[in-house]
Amino acid sequence: DQQVKQNSPSLSVQEGRISILNCDYTNSMFDYFLWYKKYPAEGPTFLISISSIKDKNEDGRFTVFLNKSAKHLSLHIVPSQPGDSAVYFCAASEGGNQFYFGTGTSLTVIP
Amino acid sequence: NAGVTQTPKFQVLKTGQSMTLQCAQDMNHEYMSWYRQDPGMGLRLIHYSVGAGITDQGEVPNGYNVSRSTTEDFPLRLLSAAPSQTSVYFCASSLAGGPIQYFGAGTRLSVL
């Protein structure tokens, strides 16, 4: 049973606009959440993270929001750039040893 | 700076054959792990290790063996390959207690 879910397999956004990627989880004991970005034929690379004691973390164009009551997190990219086109995975961990990944959302930024 | 290196990049096996997927990291990371990525399933944890001599099972360990004799290396063994093990395999490493994992480029395995 999938503990981390990304219900949108794909998303298309115009260059310069905001991209919002969503992720839901079921385990209330998760204490750390991460977003990874993956290009074809490469491994995932870390993008941004947030601990469960926070509700927002920002790094440049990337912001992650955490809503613990809804068990939901989102990644905002603004402004979106063509180089942001990739597959984005959210991941969650309880205690830092086992990580559970979502199924990924393929983002296409249209020039 | 090599980071996490996986070999081979591609492999085709026949059902019942055995093979070892290699993973090495040069960052002195204590934590290493293996994932498989399947369409519609995301990345699923197979096995992980928190240090040399210590391994544990993840979500989908059946059909796979691991060992960790050194900090640098974490090989994944398929003793008798099955078509259900056709997948892309990723190795990752991180500092102990650090949640950010660094991934290799992956091994694409087909079992016929």
Side-chain angles (χ1 to χ4, degrees):
Chain A
D1 195 23
Q2 201 86 15
Q3 297 194 49
V4 178
K5 298 179 183 178
Q6 294 176 255
N7 292 320
S8 298
S10 62
L11 175 68
S12 291
V13 171
Q14 291 286 339
E15 181 179 3
R17 305 295 292 269
I18 185 171
S19 296
I20 300 176
L21 293 86
N22 294 304
C23 180
D24 297 295
Y25 61 95
T26 58
N27 186 347
S28 58
M29 299 301 291
F30 285 148
D31 55 9
Y32 211 87
F33 304 87
L34 308 95
W35 285 93
Y36 287 85
K37 178 179 179 179
K38 185 183 181 303
Y39 292 118
E42 295 183 10
T45 55
F46 170 74
L47 188 59
I48 192 169
S49 63
I50 188 167
S51 91
S52 60
I53 63 173
K54 295 186 174 182
D55 53 19
K56 177 182 174 182
N57 187 29
E58 192 171 352
D59 183 1
R61 297 185 297 114
F62 303 92
T63 303
V64 56
F65 295 93
L66 176 62
N67 182 332
K68 289 185 289 292
S69 61
K71 296 191 181 67
H72 177 83
L73 68 157
S74 61
L75 173 67
H76 292 208
I77 306 172
V78 56
S80 301
Q81 300 173 352
D84 297 329
S85 296
V87 177
Y88 290 78
F89 291 97
C90 67
S93 171
E94 176 191 352
N97 276 346
Q98 293 210 30
F99 292 84
Y100 297 87
F101 282 75
T103 52
T105 296
S106 178
L107 173 66
T108 302
V109 179
I110 304 164
Chain B
N1 55 348
V4 179
T5 303
Q6 290 185 238
T7 55
K9 293 194 187 310
F10 303 95
Q11 183 70 48
V12 178
L13 292 178
K14 294 181 180 178
T15 297
Q17 286 185 316
S18 64
M19 81 158 294
T20 299
L21 281 64
Q22 302 291 345
C23 176
Q25 52 92 7
D26 61 359
M27 298 174 283
N28 204 30
H29 285 169
E30 295 88 348
Y31 180 95
M32 296 186 74
S33 56
W34 276 102
Y35 293 86
R36 58 179 289 173
Q37 183 190 7
D38 302 294
M41 300 295 291
L43 282 80
R44 291 181 292 169
L45 182 65
I46 304 172
H47 285 284
Y48 66 96
S49 168
V50 298
I54 306 169
T55 64
D56 207 344
Q57 297 180 350
E59 283 182 88
V60 288
N62 292 339
Y64 307 95
N65 282 350
V66 292
S67 60
R68 183 98 179 269
S69 56
T70 67
T71 300
E72 294 78 19
D73 300 297
F74 191 43
L76 179 73
R77 298 182 185 86
L78 285 70
L79 297 180
S80 179
S84 60
Q85 294 177 305
T86 293
S87 187
V88 181
Y89 291 84
F90 290 99
C91 178
S93 73
S94 65
L95 289 168
I100 300 170
Q101 296 183 79
Y102 297 84
F103 285 82
T107 294
R108 186 174 294 274
L109 176 68
S110 292
V111 183
L112 306 178

